Amino acid sequence: MTSETAPLSGNQRRKMKSASRLYAVQALFQMEHSGQTTNQVRVEFLDHRFGAVYEGDEMAEGDPDLFRALLDEAVNNQARIDQMTDRALVAKWPIARIDPTLRALFRAAGAELVLADTPPKVVIVEFVDVARAFFPEGKEASFVNAVLDHMAREARPEAF
């Protein structure tokens, strides 16, 4: 039975959303470093990354709607999201000085917080997991948790 004929389980939907968050961070990073437009990167990811097979490893299938929403929100509200991030960071480390992968992560997470479709605590947990995927040996996950907690309380105070 294929996914076209059977409805997706809750677990499959969660995995697709998680994959889309990871892809959104990668796409935002790529846009910053390559100068590609949102449309160029969106098409590349949707057509060539979601579910693609590289060297025998199949990439996760993503949720295209969430991926598009995160990219669009991160780009359209980048100034607002970066300001939220700056307020969550210590004064000596403005967003422009942090690791570009973390900058992309904070923009994607900030976008999801601003969209307000997902509970903030879920957004935090999901993006801390993304941080662990990029920095498995480091302390970045704890740092991301603290910054996102601050951002979530600013973006969605009613949820706390």
mmCIF file of all heavy atoms in Angstrom, residues 109 112-114 116-127 145 148-149 151-160:
data_model
loop_
_atom_site.group_PDB
_atom_site.id
_atom_site.type_symbol
_atom_site.label_atom_id
_atom_site.label_comp_id
_atom_site.label_asym_id
_atom_site.label_seq_id
_atom_site.Cartn_x
_atom_site.Cartn_y
_atom_site.Cartn_z
ATOM 1 N N ALA A 109 13.077 28.408 13.281
ATOM 2 C CA ALA A 109 12.300 28.236 14.515
ATOM 3 C C ALA A 109 11.474 29.492 14.802
ATOM 4 O O ALA A 109 10.301 29.393 15.178
ATOM 5 C CB ALA A 109 13.231 27.933 15.683
ATOM 6 N N GLU A 112 8.421 29.506 12.716
ATOM 7 C CA GLU A 112 7.357 28.628 13.199
ATOM 8 C C GLU A 112 6.688 29.206 14.442
ATOM 9 O O GLU A 112 5.472 29.079 14.615
ATOM 10 C CB GLU A 112 7.877 27.212 13.464
ATOM 11 C CG GLU A 112 6.750 26.238 13.689
ATOM 12 C CD GLU A 112 7.098 24.777 13.499
ATOM 13 O OE1 GLU A 112 8.278 24.451 13.271
ATOM 14 O OE2 GLU A 112 6.170 23.949 13.589
ATOM 15 N N LEU A 113 7.446 29.881 15.286
ATOM 16 C CA LEU A 113 6.849 30.527 16.453
ATOM 17 C C LEU A 113 5.902 31.649 16.026
ATOM 18 O O LEU A 113 4.809 31.787 16.574
ATOM 19 C CB LEU A 113 7.940 31.087 17.377
ATOM 20 C CG LEU A 113 8.762 30.044 18.128
ATOM 21 C CD1 LEU A 113 9.986 30.693 18.771
ATOM 22 C CD2 LEU A 113 7.908 29.328 19.167
ATOM 23 N N VAL A 114 6.298 32.426 15.028
ATOM 24 C CA VAL A 114 5.477 33.535 14.541
ATOM 25 C C VAL A 114 4.213 33.017 13.844
ATOM 26 O O VAL A 114 3.143 33.603 13.963
ATOM 27 C CB VAL A 114 6.316 34.452 13.612
ATOM 28 C CG1 VAL A 114 5.444 35.470 12.896
ATOM 29 C CG2 VAL A 114 7.410 35.150 14.416
ATOM 30 N N ALA A 116 2.508 30.515 14.634
ATOM 31 C CA ALA A 116 1.596 30.195 15.736
ATOM 32 C C ALA A 116 0.675 29.005 15.471
ATOM 33 O O ALA A 116 -0.386 28.911 16.066
ATOM 34 C CB ALA A 116 0.783 31.433 16.140
ATOM 35 N N ASP A 117 1.078 28.099 14.577
ATOM 36 C CA ASP A 117 0.268 26.903 14.316
ATOM 37 C C ASP A 117 0.665 25.735 15.218
ATOM 38 O O ASP A 117 -0.110 24.799 15.397
ATOM 39 C CB ASP A 117 0.417 26.456 12.856
ATOM 40 C CG ASP A 117 -0.174 27.458 11.884
ATOM 41 O OD1 ASP A 117 -1.074 28.223 12.282
ATOM 42 O OD2 ASP A 117 0.264 27.478 10.726
ATOM 43 N N THR A 118 1.869 25.774 15.749
ATOM 44 C CA THR A 118 2.422 24.685 16.547
ATOM 45 C C THR A 118 2.670 25.191 17.957
ATOM 46 O O THR A 118 3.177 26.309 18.120
ATOM 47 C CB THR A 118 3.771 24.223 15.930
ATOM 48 O OG1 THR A 118 3.567 23.925 14.545
ATOM 49 C CG2 THR A 118 4.323 22.997 16.625
ATOM 50 N N PRO A 119 2.349 24.405 18.979
ATOM 51 C CA PRO A 119 2.638 24.852 20.346
ATOM 52 C C PRO A 119 4.128 25.186 20.503
ATOM 53 O O PRO A 119 4.985 24.447 20.013
ATOM 54 C CB PRO A 119 2.247 23.650 21.216
ATOM 55 C CG PRO A 119 1.273 22.877 20.381
ATOM 56 C CD PRO A 119 1.707 23.094 18.947
ATOM 57 N N PRO A 120 4.451 26.300 21.182
ATOM 58 C CA PRO A 120 5.846 26.720 21.308
ATOM 59 C C PRO A 120 6.764 25.643 21.886
ATOM 60 O O PRO A 120 7.909 25.507 21.449
ATOM 61 C CB PRO A 120 5.786 27.933 22.233
ATOM 62 C CG PRO A 120 4.390 28.409 22.185
ATOM 63 C CD PRO A 120 3.543 27.242 21.825
ATOM 64 N N LYS A 121 6.273 24.882 22.847
ATOM 65 C CA LYS A 121 7.129 23.858 23.455
ATOM 66 C C LYS A 121 7.490 22.772 22.433
ATOM 67 O O LYS A 121 8.585 22.226 22.469
ATOM 68 C CB LYS A 121 6.470 23.269 24.699
ATOM 69 C CG LYS A 121 6.438 24.286 25.827
ATOM 70 C CD LYS A 121 5.751 23.799 27.067
ATOM 71 C CE LYS A 121 5.748 24.922 28.089
ATOM 72 N NZ LYS A 121 5.029 24.605 29.291
ATOM 73 N N VAL A 122 6.588 22.487 21.510
ATOM 74 C CA VAL A 122 6.872 21.527 20.437
ATOM 75 C C VAL A 122 7.932 22.107 19.505
ATOM 76 O O VAL A 122 8.872 21.415 19.102
ATOM 77 C CB VAL A 122 5.582 21.159 19.661
ATOM 78 C CG1 VAL A 122 5.895 20.308 18.436
ATOM 79 C CG2 VAL A 122 4.598 20.439 20.581
ATOM 80 N N VAL A 123 7.790 23.387 19.166
ATOM 81 C CA VAL A 123 8.780 24.049 18.299
ATOM 82 C C VAL A 123 10.162 23.962 18.946
ATOM 83 O O VAL A 123 11.147 23.612 18.290
ATOM 84 C CB VAL A 123 8.385 25.518 18.029
ATOM 85 C CG1 VAL A 123 9.478 26.240 17.247
ATOM 86 C CG2 VAL A 123 7.056 25.591 17.280
ATOM 87 N N ILE A 124 10.238 24.259 20.241
ATOM 88 C CA ILE A 124 11.524 24.223 20.941
ATOM 89 C C ILE A 124 12.131 22.822 20.891
ATOM 90 O O ILE A 124 13.290 22.656 20.498
ATOM 91 C CB ILE A 124 11.371 24.711 22.403
ATOM 92 C CG1 ILE A 124 10.989 26.199 22.423
ATOM 93 C CG2 ILE A 124 12.660 24.463 23.191
ATOM 94 C CD1 ILE A 124 10.526 26.708 23.782
ATOM 95 N N VAL A 125 11.358 21.815 21.263
ATOM 96 C CA VAL A 125 11.859 20.436 21.270
ATOM 97 C C VAL A 125 12.326 20.021 19.875
ATOM 98 O O VAL A 125 13.402 19.432 19.714
ATOM 99 C CB VAL A 125 10.780 19.461 21.802
ATOM 100 C CG1 VAL A 125 11.155 18.013 21.541
ATOM 101 C CG2 VAL A 125 10.561 19.692 23.289
ATOM 102 N N GLU A 126 11.530 20.339 18.866
ATOM 103 C CA GLU A 126 11.867 19.955 17.496
ATOM 104 C C GLU A 126 13.174 20.600 17.035
ATOM 105 O O GLU A 126 14.018 19.945 16.429
ATOM 106 C CB GLU A 126 10.727 20.329 16.536
ATOM 107 C CG GLU A 126 9.520 19.432 16.650
ATOM 108 C CD GLU A 126 9.731 18.066 16.036
ATOM 109 O OE1 GLU A 126 10.458 17.955 15.024
ATOM 110 O OE2 GLU A 126 9.153 17.100 16.556
ATOM 111 N N PHE A 127 13.348 21.885 17.304
ATOM 112 C CA PHE A 127 14.555 22.564 16.829
ATOM 113 C C PHE A 127 15.778 22.258 17.695
ATOM 114 O O PHE A 127 16.899 22.327 17.202
ATOM 115 C CB PHE A 127 14.311 24.054 16.636
ATOM 116 C CG PHE A 127 13.593 24.345 15.344
ATOM 117 C CD1 PHE A 127 12.221 24.535 15.315
ATOM 118 C CD2 PHE A 127 14.281 24.383 14.140
ATOM 119 C CE1 PHE A 127 11.549 24.770 14.121
ATOM 120 C CE2 PHE A 127 13.625 24.613 12.933
ATOM 121 C CZ PHE A 127 12.263 24.804 12.926
ATOM 122 N N ASN A 145 18.157 25.587 23.092
ATOM 123 C CA ASN A 145 17.015 25.463 23.992
ATOM 124 C C ASN A 145 16.782 26.772 24.749
ATOM 125 O O ASN A 145 15.654 27.269 24.816
ATOM 126 C CB ASN A 145 17.241 24.309 24.973
ATOM 127 C CG ASN A 145 16.012 24.029 25.802
ATOM 128 O OD1 ASN A 145 14.952 23.735 25.279
ATOM 129 N ND2 ASN A 145 16.167 24.133 27.110
ATOM 130 N N LEU A 148 15.671 29.637 22.240
ATOM 131 C CA LEU A 148 14.304 29.432 21.741
ATOM 132 C C LEU A 148 13.266 29.615 22.844
ATOM 133 O O LEU A 148 12.164 30.096 22.577
ATOM 134 C CB LEU A 148 14.172 28.066 21.078
ATOM 135 C CG LEU A 148 14.922 27.901 19.762
ATOM 136 C CD1 LEU A 148 14.645 26.524 19.173
ATOM 137 C CD2 LEU A 148 14.575 28.989 18.770
ATOM 138 N N ASP A 149 13.598 29.240 24.061
ATOM 139 C CA ASP A 149 12.671 29.446 25.174
ATOM 140 C C ASP A 149 12.391 30.944 25.323
ATOM 141 O O ASP A 149 11.242 31.363 25.455
ATOM 142 C CB ASP A 149 13.244 28.865 26.468
ATOM 143 C CG ASP A 149 12.261 28.997 27.620
ATOM 144 O OD1 ASP A 149 11.214 28.314 27.585
ATOM 145 O OD2 ASP A 149 12.536 29.793 28.542
ATOM 146 N N MET A 151 12.777 33.287 22.981
ATOM 147 C CA MET A 151 12.049 33.735 21.786
ATOM 148 C C MET A 151 10.578 33.335 21.860
ATOM 149 O O MET A 151 9.689 34.119 21.501
ATOM 150 C CB MET A 151 12.690 33.153 20.526
ATOM 151 C CG MET A 151 14.046 33.751 20.196
ATOM 152 S SD MET A 151 14.876 32.889 18.831
ATOM 153 C CE MET A 151 13.794 33.310 17.446
ATOM 154 N N ALA A 152 10.308 32.112 22.316
ATOM 155 C CA ALA A 152 8.933 31.618 22.391
ATOM 156 C C ALA A 152 8.112 32.439 23.389
ATOM 157 O O ALA A 152 6.940 32.756 23.136
ATOM 158 C CB ALA A 152 8.925 30.139 22.787
ATOM 159 N N ARG A 153 8.728 32.782 24.507
ATOM 160 C CA ARG A 153 8.014 33.572 25.520
ATOM 161 C C ARG A 153 7.722 34.983 25.007
ATOM 162 O O ARG A 153 6.697 35.573 25.372
ATOM 163 C CB ARG A 153 8.808 33.617 26.833
ATOM 164 C CG ARG A 153 8.803 32.276 27.530
ATOM 165 C CD ARG A 153 9.747 32.244 28.731
ATOM 166 N NE ARG A 153 9.871 30.881 29.226
ATOM 167 C CZ ARG A 153 9.019 30.283 30.044
ATOM 168 N NH1 ARG A 153 7.948 30.937 30.474
ATOM 169 N NH2 ARG A 153 9.220 29.041 30.426
ATOM 170 N N GLU A 154 8.574 35.505 24.139
ATOM 171 C CA GLU A 154 8.316 36.811 23.548
ATOM 172 C C GLU A 154 7.249 36.708 22.453
ATOM 173 O O GLU A 154 6.320 37.522 22.400
ATOM 174 C CB GLU A 154 9.605 37.393 22.936
ATOM 175 C CG GLU A 154 9.372 38.725 22.272
ATOM 176 C CD GLU A 154 10.621 39.323 21.651
ATOM 177 O OE1 GLU A 154 11.736 39.056 22.126
ATOM 178 O OE2 GLU A 154 10.462 40.076 20.664
ATOM 179 N N ALA A 155 7.381 35.707 21.580
ATOM 180 C CA ALA A 155 6.463 35.576 20.442
ATOM 181 C C ALA A 155 5.073 35.111 20.863
ATOM 182 O O ALA A 155 4.073 35.533 20.269
ATOM 183 C CB ALA A 155 7.040 34.604 19.409
ATOM 184 N N ARG A 156 5.009 34.230 21.873
ATOM 185 C CA ARG A 156 3.733 33.616 22.258
ATOM 186 C C ARG A 156 3.570 33.574 23.783
ATOM 187 O O ARG A 156 3.443 32.494 24.380
ATOM 188 C CB ARG A 156 3.667 32.196 21.699
ATOM 189 C CG ARG A 156 4.024 32.069 20.214
ATOM 190 C CD ARG A 156 2.859 31.978 19.289
ATOM 191 N NE ARG A 156 2.011 30.851 19.540
ATOM 192 C CZ ARG A 156 2.255 29.590 19.152
ATOM 193 N NH1 ARG A 156 3.342 29.298 18.497
ATOM 194 N NH2 ARG A 156 1.407 28.636 19.431
ATOM 195 N N PRO A 157 3.570 34.718 24.451
ATOM 196 C CA PRO A 157 3.521 34.731 25.923
ATOM 197 C C PRO A 157 2.285 34.020 26.489
ATOM 198 O O PRO A 157 2.341 33.447 27.575
ATOM 199 C CB PRO A 157 3.543 36.219 26.289
ATOM 200 C CG PRO A 157 3.119 36.929 25.045
ATOM 201 C CD PRO A 157 3.545 36.069 23.897
ATOM 202 N N GLU A 158 1.212 34.026 25.716
ATOM 203 C CA GLU A 158 -0.037 33.404 26.197
ATOM 204 C C GLU A 158 0.080 31.886 26.327
ATOM 205 O O GLU A 158 -0.723 31.250 27.014
ATOM 206 C CB GLU A 158 -1.198 33.747 25.249
ATOM 207 C CG GLU A 158 -1.186 33.030 23.906
ATOM 208 C CD GLU A 158 -0.118 33.479 22.887
ATOM 209 O OE1 GLU A 158 0.563 34.490 23.124
ATOM 210 O OE2 GLU A 158 0.012 32.796 21.861
ATOM 211 N N ALA A 159 1.086 31.299 25.717
ATOM 212 C CA ALA A 159 1.254 29.836 25.740
ATOM 213 C C ALA A 159 2.009 29.366 26.984
ATOM 214 O O ALA A 159 2.163 28.170 27.193
ATOM 215 C CB ALA A 159 1.963 29.362 24.476
ATOM 216 N N PHE A 160 2.477 30.328 27.798
ATOM 217 C CA PHE A 160 3.285 29.942 28.966
ATOM 218 C C PHE A 160 2.576 30.278 30.265
ATOM 219 O O PHE A 160 1.700 31.025 30.360
ATOM 220 C CB PHE A 160 4.652 30.637 28.918
ATOM 221 C CG PHE A 160 5.515 30.082 27.821
ATOM 222 C CD1 PHE A 160 5.479 30.624 26.549
ATOM 223 C CD2 PHE A 160 6.343 28.997 28.061
ATOM 224 C CE1 PHE A 160 6.265 30.105 25.537
ATOM 225 C CE2 PHE A 160 7.123 28.469 27.049
ATOM 226 C CZ PHE A 160 7.088 29.026 25.783
#
